[in-house]
Amino acid sequence: MERGMTADQVLKALWRRKVLVGAIVLSVFAVGAAIVLLQPNMYEATSVVRVQPQRPGEEMVQRTVSELVEQRLLTVRQELMSRPVLQKAIEEMNLYPDIVSEKGIESAVVAMRKDLTVRVEGETAFELTYASRDPELAAKVANRLPQLFAEETLKSRQAQAARATKLFADEITSLSESVTGWEKKIAAFKVAHIGELPEQLEMNMRGLERVGALLQTKSEELRVAEARRSDLARARNAADSEAGRLEAAETTLTQDLVAARSSWTGDHPEVKRLDQELATMTAKRKDAEGRQFAERQERGRVTGLIGAIQKDIEELHQQAKSYQERLDRTPKWAHELGVLQRDYEIARAKYQSVVSRRVEAELAQDLELRGAEDLFHVVSPASVPALAAKPDRVSGLLICLLIALGLGVLTGVVLEMRDDSIRDTQELRDRLPLPILAVVPNMQSSKVEKRVLMPATGGRNGVVPPSSSDSTLN
C-alpha cells in the first residue's frame, strides 16, 4: 500500500535502512567512479586562423570570383567537416586506422567529425579544435586542417577563375567567327557595289563635275574646230580658183613661148621675156598648188579632230551618265550597308568587350595564384596540450556521488512506501477507524522488560503516545 511521507518520515525510513542505503550509495558510486577513472584522457589542441581581406586586389582588377573569401566563414564549419577535407587529412596522417580497416573511410570521417569543433570568431577568423588521445597528434591535426581548408578553398577559387577565363576564351572564339562573318559580308557587298558606296559619293560627285568641265572644254574645242573647218572650206574654193587661173596662164605662156621660139631664136628678147614669165608663172602655180595641198591636209586634220572631239564628248556623256546612275543608287546601298555595318559594330563591340573581360579574367586568375599564400593567416598555431581536456574527473566523481545518493534515497523511500508495517499510534489512528485501548512496549530489547499499562484517560482515546522503542497493539 502506497502513502505519502513527510521529510521526518523519510529521514527515519533512511535511518532504519541505513545499511542498505549505504550499500547502494557505495556500490553505485564505486561503479561510476570506476567508469570515470577508467575513461581515456582526451587532449584538445586549438588553432586560430584569420582570413585576409582582398580589397586592394579588387581595386586594381575586377575579380571573376564574386564571393569574398571572408564570406566563406559563414560555411566554414560545413566545409571543414566535409568529406574531401577530412578524408584527405585521414589519408595523409593515417588517422583512425582501426575504423578505416574495419568499417571503411566513411565511418572514419564520421568519427573525426565527432572529435572536431569549429567556431567562428568575429568576422574574419575561426577557431578549430581537435580532440585526440595523443596530444602530439591533436596538435598536428589542428595545425594541418586549416592548411587543407585553405588549399581546398584556394583550389576552388582558382578553378572558378579558370572557368571564367575559359568561358571568356570560348565566347571570344564564337564572337570572332561572328565578326569575321560580318566582315566577309561587308567586303562582298562592297565588291558587288563598288563605285556606288556611300564613301565613294564624294568621289562620284567630283568625277561628275570633272566630266562636266571636260564636256565644256570639248564643246569649246569642237566649236573652234568646226569654225576652222568652215574657214578652210572657204579658203579651198579660193585656192582652187587661184591654182586654176595660174595653171591657165601658164598654159597660155607655154603656147606663146612655143610660138615665139618657132619664129625667133633663143636669144630673142621676146623669147627670153616669155621664158622668164613662164618660169615665174610655174613657180607661182607650184606655190599655189603647195598651199592647196597644205590646206587640204589641214582640212583632213581638222575633220579628224572634230571626229575625235565628238567621240570624246560622247564618251564623256557616257561617263556622266554612269556617275549619275551611281549617285542615284548610292542612297539605296547606303541603307543596306548601314544595316550590315550596324550589326558588324554590335558584334565587334561585344568582341572587344569580351576580349577586355578575358584580359581582366587572366589578370584576376594570376592574382588568385599570386595572393593564395596571403589569404589565410594562422594567428595562433596549435601547441601540444600538457593537460587532458576530457574527461573532467572531479565533475564526473561529483555527478557519480549525486547519482549514488539519489539512488540510495530513492531505494529507501520506495521500500518504505511499499512497507505495510505500523510503527506509531498516529499512523494507526490514520489507517484504522478504531479506538486505541493500550500500547504494549517492545519486549524484544533486553534493556526493556517492564510492561506498561496505559491509563484510559491519557491522550486522545485514552492512549498515551509510546516511545520509539514501543510497539503498538490494537
Side-chain angles (χ1 to χ4, degrees), residues 296-338:
R296 189 179 296 119
Q297 286 184 336
E298 179 67 15
R299 286 196 302 271
R301 186 187 67 80
V302 171
T303 302
L305 177 61
I306 290 173
I309 292 174
Q310 290 176 343
K311 184 178 180 181
D312 291 342
I313 290 175
E314 184 179 355
E315 291 179 354
L316 289 174
H317 278 296
Q318 292 295 329
Q319 291 180 11
K321 182 180 178 181
S322 175
Y323 279 122
Q324 188 61 47
E325 290 176 351
R326 292 179 183 179
L327 291 174
D328 293 340
R329 286 192 292 265
T330 295
K332 177 183 177 181
W333 306 138
H335 174 70
E336 296 186 9
L337 181 61

Short mmCIF file of all heavy atoms in Angstrom, two decimals, residues 296-338:
data_model
loop_
_atom_site.label_atom_id
_atom_site.label_comp_id
_atom_site.label_asym_id
_atom_site.label_seq_id
_atom_site.Cartn_x
_atom_site.Cartn_y
_atom_site.Cartn_z
N ARG A 296 44.45 71.28 -147.94
CA ARG A 296 43.72 70.02 -147.99
C ARG A 296 44.10 69.15 -146.78
O ARG A 296 43.24 68.52 -146.15
CB ARG A 296 44.01 69.32 -149.28
CG ARG A 296 43.10 68.09 -149.51
CD ARG A 296 43.41 67.42 -150.83
NE ARG A 296 43.10 68.32 -151.94
CZ ARG A 296 43.96 68.76 -152.82
NH1 ARG A 296 45.23 68.40 -152.72
NH2 ARG A 296 43.60 69.58 -153.79
N GLN A 297 45.38 69.06 -146.44
CA GLN A 297 45.82 68.29 -145.26
C GLN A 297 45.24 68.89 -143.97
O GLN A 297 44.82 68.17 -143.07
CB GLN A 297 47.36 68.28 -145.20
CG GLN A 297 48.00 67.37 -146.23
CD GLN A 297 49.51 67.33 -146.05
OE1 GLN A 297 50.11 68.28 -145.50
NE2 GLN A 297 50.14 66.27 -146.54
N GLU A 298 45.21 70.23 -143.91
CA GLU A 298 44.67 70.88 -142.72
C GLU A 298 43.19 70.57 -142.57
O GLU A 298 42.69 70.32 -141.47
CB GLU A 298 44.90 72.38 -142.80
CG GLU A 298 44.37 73.17 -141.63
CD GLU A 298 45.11 72.88 -140.34
OE1 GLU A 298 46.21 72.28 -140.38
OE2 GLU A 298 44.60 73.24 -139.24
N ARG A 299 42.48 70.56 -143.73
CA ARG A 299 41.07 70.22 -143.65
C ARG A 299 40.86 68.79 -143.16
O ARG A 299 39.98 68.51 -142.37
CB ARG A 299 40.42 70.41 -145.02
CG ARG A 299 40.21 71.85 -145.43
CD ARG A 299 39.24 71.95 -146.58
NE ARG A 299 39.69 71.17 -147.74
CZ ARG A 299 40.47 71.63 -148.71
NH1 ARG A 299 40.91 72.88 -148.65
NH2 ARG A 299 40.81 70.88 -149.74
N GLY A 300 41.73 67.88 -143.65
CA GLY A 300 41.64 66.49 -143.17
C GLY A 300 41.91 66.38 -141.68
O GLY A 300 41.25 65.63 -140.95
N ARG A 301 42.95 67.14 -141.28
CA ARG A 301 43.29 67.10 -139.85
C ARG A 301 42.15 67.65 -139.00
O ARG A 301 41.79 67.09 -137.97
CB ARG A 301 44.57 67.89 -139.60
CG ARG A 301 45.08 67.79 -138.16
CD ARG A 301 46.24 68.74 -137.96
NE ARG A 301 45.79 70.13 -138.04
CZ ARG A 301 45.19 70.75 -137.00
NH1 ARG A 301 44.95 70.13 -135.86
NH2 ARG A 301 44.82 72.02 -137.15
N VAL A 302 41.59 68.78 -139.46
CA VAL A 302 40.50 69.39 -138.69
C VAL A 302 39.29 68.47 -138.66
O VAL A 302 38.62 68.33 -137.64
CB VAL A 302 40.16 70.77 -139.28
CG1 VAL A 302 38.90 71.31 -138.65
CG2 VAL A 302 41.31 71.75 -139.08
N THR A 303 39.03 67.81 -139.78
CA THR A 303 37.91 66.87 -139.82
C THR A 303 38.14 65.72 -138.85
O THR A 303 37.23 65.31 -138.10
CB THR A 303 37.71 66.34 -141.25
OG1 THR A 303 37.48 67.44 -142.15
CG2 THR A 303 36.55 65.38 -141.30
N GLY A 304 39.36 65.17 -138.83
CA GLY A 304 39.68 64.11 -137.87
C GLY A 304 39.58 64.58 -136.43
O GLY A 304 39.12 63.87 -135.55
N LEU A 305 40.04 65.84 -136.20
CA LEU A 305 39.98 66.39 -134.84
C LEU A 305 38.54 66.55 -134.40
O LEU A 305 38.20 66.23 -133.25
CB LEU A 305 40.70 67.74 -134.83
CG LEU A 305 40.67 68.50 -133.49
CD1 LEU A 305 41.37 67.67 -132.41
CD2 LEU A 305 41.34 69.87 -133.64
N ILE A 306 37.69 67.01 -135.33
CA ILE A 306 36.28 67.16 -134.98
C ILE A 306 35.67 65.80 -134.64
O ILE A 306 34.92 65.64 -133.66
CB ILE A 306 35.52 67.84 -136.13
CG1 ILE A 306 35.95 69.30 -136.25
CG2 ILE A 306 34.01 67.75 -135.91
CD1 ILE A 306 35.38 70.00 -137.47
N GLY A 307 36.03 64.75 -135.41
CA GLY A 307 35.52 63.42 -135.11
C GLY A 307 36.00 62.92 -133.75
O GLY A 307 35.23 62.32 -132.97
N ALA A 308 37.29 63.18 -133.47
CA ALA A 308 37.83 62.75 -132.16
C ALA A 308 37.15 63.49 -131.02
O ALA A 308 36.81 62.90 -129.98
CB ALA A 308 39.33 62.98 -132.13
N ILE A 309 36.93 64.81 -131.27
CA ILE A 309 36.29 65.59 -130.20
C ILE A 309 34.86 65.10 -129.98
O ILE A 309 34.39 64.96 -128.85
CB ILE A 309 36.32 67.08 -130.55
CG1 ILE A 309 37.77 67.61 -130.50
CG2 ILE A 309 35.44 67.88 -129.60
CD1 ILE A 309 37.91 69.04 -130.97
N GLN A 310 34.17 64.82 -131.05
CA GLN A 310 32.80 64.31 -130.93
C GLN A 310 32.77 62.95 -130.21
O GLN A 310 31.89 62.69 -129.39
CB GLN A 310 32.16 64.20 -132.31
CG GLN A 310 31.86 65.55 -132.95
CD GLN A 310 31.31 65.42 -134.35
OE1 GLN A 310 31.45 64.36 -134.99
NE2 GLN A 310 30.72 66.50 -134.86
N LYS A 311 33.75 62.11 -130.53
CA LYS A 311 33.84 60.81 -129.84
C LYS A 311 34.13 61.00 -128.36
O LYS A 311 33.53 60.33 -127.49
CB LYS A 311 34.92 59.97 -130.49
CG LYS A 311 35.02 58.57 -129.91
CD LYS A 311 36.08 57.74 -130.64
CE LYS A 311 36.17 56.35 -130.05
NZ LYS A 311 37.22 55.54 -130.73
N ASP A 312 35.05 61.94 -128.07
CA ASP A 312 35.36 62.22 -126.65
C ASP A 312 34.12 62.76 -125.92
O ASP A 312 33.86 62.40 -124.78
CB ASP A 312 36.50 63.23 -126.55
CG ASP A 312 37.83 62.64 -127.01
OD1 ASP A 312 37.93 61.39 -127.06
OD2 ASP A 312 38.76 63.42 -127.30
N ILE A 313 33.37 63.61 -126.63
CA ILE A 313 32.18 64.16 -125.99
C ILE A 313 31.16 63.05 -125.73
O ILE A 313 30.52 63.01 -124.66
CB ILE A 313 31.58 65.26 -126.89
CG1 ILE A 313 32.50 66.49 -126.88
CG2 ILE A 313 30.18 65.64 -126.42
CD1 ILE A 313 32.06 67.59 -127.84
N GLU A 314 31.04 62.14 -126.67
CA GLU A 314 30.11 61.02 -126.45
C GLU A 314 30.55 60.16 -125.26
O GLU A 314 29.73 59.75 -124.43
CB GLU A 314 30.03 60.19 -127.73
CG GLU A 314 29.02 59.04 -127.63
CD GLU A 314 28.93 58.24 -128.91
OE1 GLU A 314 29.59 58.64 -129.92
OE2 GLU A 314 28.23 57.23 -128.94
N GLU A 315 31.86 59.88 -125.17
CA GLU A 315 32.38 59.11 -124.04
C GLU A 315 32.17 59.85 -122.73
O GLU A 315 31.83 59.25 -121.70
CB GLU A 315 33.87 58.81 -124.25
CG GLU A 315 34.13 57.83 -125.38
CD GLU A 315 35.62 57.59 -125.57
OE1 GLU A 315 36.42 58.29 -124.90
OE2 GLU A 315 35.98 56.73 -126.39
N LEU A 316 32.36 61.17 -122.79
CA LEU A 316 32.16 61.95 -121.57
C LEU A 316 30.69 61.94 -121.16
O LEU A 316 30.37 61.89 -119.95
CB LEU A 316 32.64 63.39 -121.78
CG LEU A 316 34.16 63.58 -121.87
CD1 LEU A 316 34.49 65.02 -122.22
CD2 LEU A 316 34.82 63.20 -120.53
N HIS A 317 29.80 61.94 -122.14
CA HIS A 317 28.38 61.83 -121.81
C HIS A 317 28.07 60.47 -121.16
O HIS A 317 27.29 60.40 -120.20
CB HIS A 317 27.54 62.03 -123.08
CG HIS A 317 27.32 63.45 -123.44
ND1 HIS A 317 26.62 64.33 -122.64
CD2 HIS A 317 27.72 64.18 -124.54
CE1 HIS A 317 26.58 65.53 -123.21
NE2 HIS A 317 27.27 65.46 -124.37
N GLN A 318 28.70 59.42 -121.65
CA GLN A 318 28.51 58.10 -121.04
C GLN A 318 29.05 58.07 -119.61
O GLN A 318 28.43 57.51 -118.70
CB GLN A 318 29.22 57.03 -121.89
CG GLN A 318 28.58 56.80 -123.25
CD GLN A 318 27.17 56.22 -123.14
OE1 GLN A 318 26.86 55.48 -122.19
NE2 GLN A 318 26.33 56.58 -124.10
N GLN A 319 30.23 58.69 -119.44
CA GLN A 319 30.80 58.74 -118.08
C GLN A 319 29.90 59.54 -117.15
O GLN A 319 29.66 59.16 -115.99
CB GLN A 319 32.19 59.37 -118.13
CG GLN A 319 33.25 58.52 -118.81
CD GLN A 319 34.61 59.17 -118.82
OE1 GLN A 319 34.83 60.18 -118.14
NE2 GLN A 319 35.53 58.62 -119.61
N ALA A 320 29.39 60.67 -117.64
CA ALA A 320 28.49 61.47 -116.81
C ALA A 320 27.24 60.67 -116.45
O ALA A 320 26.75 60.73 -115.31
CB ALA A 320 28.13 62.76 -117.53
N LYS A 321 26.73 59.94 -117.43
CA LYS A 321 25.55 59.11 -117.17
C LYS A 321 25.86 58.04 -116.13
O LYS A 321 25.07 57.78 -115.22
CB LYS A 321 25.09 58.47 -118.48
CG LYS A 321 23.84 57.62 -118.32
CD LYS A 321 23.44 57.02 -119.66
CE LYS A 321 22.20 56.12 -119.49
NZ LYS A 321 21.80 55.51 -120.77
N SER A 322 27.05 57.42 -116.27
CA SER A 322 27.45 56.39 -115.29
C SER A 322 27.58 56.98 -113.89
O SER A 322 27.10 56.40 -112.91
CB SER A 322 28.77 55.76 -115.73
OG SER A 322 29.23 54.85 -114.76
N TYR A 323 28.23 58.15 -113.80
CA TYR A 323 28.37 58.79 -112.49
C TYR A 323 27.01 59.15 -111.90
O TYR A 323 26.76 58.98 -110.71
CB TYR A 323 29.24 60.05 -112.61
CG TYR A 323 30.73 59.78 -112.63
CD1 TYR A 323 31.52 60.19 -113.70
CD2 TYR A 323 31.35 59.12 -111.57
CE1 TYR A 323 32.88 59.95 -113.73
CE2 TYR A 323 32.72 58.87 -111.59
CZ TYR A 323 33.47 59.28 -112.67
OH TYR A 323 34.82 59.04 -112.68
N GLN A 324 26.12 59.62 -112.75
CA GLN A 324 24.79 59.99 -112.26
C GLN A 324 24.03 58.76 -111.77
O GLN A 324 23.33 58.81 -110.74
CB GLN A 324 24.02 60.69 -113.38
CG GLN A 324 22.70 61.29 -112.91
CD GLN A 324 22.90 62.34 -111.84
OE1 GLN A 324 23.76 63.22 -111.99
NE2 GLN A 324 22.15 62.27 -110.76
N GLU A 325 24.15 57.65 -112.51
CA GLU A 325 23.49 56.41 -112.07
C GLU A 325 24.07 55.93 -110.73
O GLU A 325 23.33 55.45 -109.86
CB GLU A 325 23.65 55.33 -113.14
CG GLU A 325 22.84 55.61 -114.40
CD GLU A 325 23.09 54.56 -115.47
OE1 GLU A 325 24.04 53.75 -115.27
OE2 GLU A 325 22.38 54.56 -116.49
N ARG A 326 25.38 56.04 -110.57
CA ARG A 326 25.99 55.68 -109.28
C ARG A 326 25.45 56.55 -108.15
O ARG A 326 25.13 56.06 -107.06
CB ARG A 326 27.51 55.82 -109.37
CG ARG A 326 28.18 54.81 -110.29
CD ARG A 326 29.69 55.07 -110.32
NE ARG A 326 30.37 54.19 -111.25
CZ ARG A 326 31.69 54.21 -111.48
NH1 ARG A 326 32.44 55.11 -110.84
NH2 ARG A 326 32.23 53.37 -112.34
N LEU A 327 25.36 57.85 -108.44
CA LEU A 327 24.86 58.76 -107.41
C LEU A 327 23.39 58.45 -107.09
O LEU A 327 22.97 58.57 -105.92
CB LEU A 327 24.99 60.21 -107.89
CG LEU A 327 26.42 60.74 -107.99
CD1 LEU A 327 26.42 62.13 -108.62
CD2 LEU A 327 27.08 60.80 -106.61
N ASP A 328 22.63 58.05 -108.09
CA ASP A 328 21.22 57.73 -107.86
C ASP A 328 21.07 56.46 -107.03
O ASP A 328 20.12 56.34 -106.24
CB ASP A 328 20.49 57.59 -109.20
CG ASP A 328 20.40 58.91 -109.96
OD1 ASP A 328 20.55 59.96 -109.29
OD2 ASP A 328 20.22 58.88 -111.19
N ARG A 329 21.99 55.48 -107.20
CA ARG A 329 21.87 54.20 -106.47
C ARG A 329 22.55 54.25 -105.11
O ARG A 329 22.36 53.34 -104.30
CB ARG A 329 22.46 53.06 -107.31
CG ARG A 329 21.59 52.65 -108.47
CD ARG A 329 22.09 51.35 -109.06
NE ARG A 329 23.38 51.51 -109.71
CZ ARG A 329 23.54 51.74 -111.02
NH1 ARG A 329 22.47 51.88 -111.79
NH2 ARG A 329 24.74 51.86 -111.53
N THR A 330 23.36 55.26 -104.86
CA THR A 330 24.10 55.32 -103.59
C THR A 330 23.20 55.31 -102.36
O THR A 330 23.48 54.60 -101.39
CB THR A 330 25.01 56.56 -103.57
OG1 THR A 330 26.00 56.43 -104.60
CG2 THR A 330 25.71 56.71 -102.23
N PRO A 331 22.10 56.08 -102.30
CA PRO A 331 21.25 56.04 -101.10
C PRO A 331 20.71 54.65 -100.78
O PRO A 331 20.61 54.26 -99.61
CB PRO A 331 20.12 57.02 -101.43
CG PRO A 331 20.71 57.95 -102.44
CD PRO A 331 21.63 57.12 -103.25
N LYS A 332 20.35 53.90 -101.81
CA LYS A 332 19.83 52.54 -101.58
C LYS A 332 20.89 51.65 -100.94
O LYS A 332 20.65 50.98 -99.94
CB LYS A 332 19.37 51.95 -102.90
CG LYS A 332 18.89 50.51 -102.78
CD LYS A 332 18.51 49.96 -104.15
CE LYS A 332 18.09 48.49 -104.02
NZ LYS A 332 17.74 47.91 -105.35
N TRP A 333 22.08 51.67 -101.54
CA TRP A 333 23.16 50.83 -100.97
C TRP A 333 23.63 51.37 -99.62
O TRP A 333 24.09 50.59 -98.78
CB TRP A 333 24.34 50.77 -101.95
CG TRP A 333 23.98 50.32 -103.32
CD1 TRP A 333 24.43 50.85 -104.49
CD2 TRP A 333 23.10 49.25 -103.69
NE1 TRP A 333 23.90 50.21 -105.58
CE2 TRP A 333 23.07 49.20 -105.10
CE3 TRP A 333 22.33 48.35 -102.99
CZ2 TRP A 333 22.31 48.28 -105.81
CZ3 TRP A 333 21.56 47.42 -103.69
CH2 TRP A 333 21.54 47.39 -105.08
N ALA A 334 23.52 52.67 -99.41
CA ALA A 334 23.91 53.23 -98.12
C ALA A 334 23.05 52.65 -97.00
O ALA A 334 23.54 52.35 -95.90
CB ALA A 334 23.79 54.75 -98.14
N HIS A 335 21.75 52.50 -97.26
CA HIS A 335 20.86 51.92 -96.24
C HIS A 335 21.23 50.48 -95.95
O HIS A 335 21.37 50.09 -94.77
CB HIS A 335 19.42 52.02 -96.73
CG HIS A 335 18.44 51.33 -95.82
ND1 HIS A 335 18.12 51.80 -94.56
CD2 HIS A 335 17.74 50.17 -95.97
CE1 HIS A 335 17.26 50.99 -93.98
NE2 HIS A 335 17.02 49.99 -94.82
N GLU A 336 21.39 49.68 -96.99
CA GLU A 336 21.73 48.27 -96.78
C GLU A 336 23.10 48.12 -96.12
O GLU A 336 23.28 47.29 -95.21
CB GLU A 336 21.68 47.53 -98.10
CG GLU A 336 20.30 47.49 -98.74
CD GLU A 336 20.27 46.64 -99.99
OE1 GLU A 336 21.28 45.94 -100.25
OE2 GLU A 336 19.25 46.66 -100.70
N LEU A 337 24.06 48.93 -96.58
CA LEU A 337 25.40 48.86 -95.96
C LEU A 337 25.35 49.33 -94.52
O LEU A 337 26.06 48.79 -93.66
CB LEU A 337 26.38 49.71 -96.77
CG LEU A 337 27.82 49.71 -96.26
CD1 LEU A 337 28.40 48.30 -96.32
CD2 LEU A 337 28.67 50.66 -97.10
N GLY A 338 24.50 50.33 -94.22
CA GLY A 338 24.36 50.79 -92.84
C GLY A 338 23.84 49.70 -91.93
O GLY A 338 24.30 49.55 -90.78
#
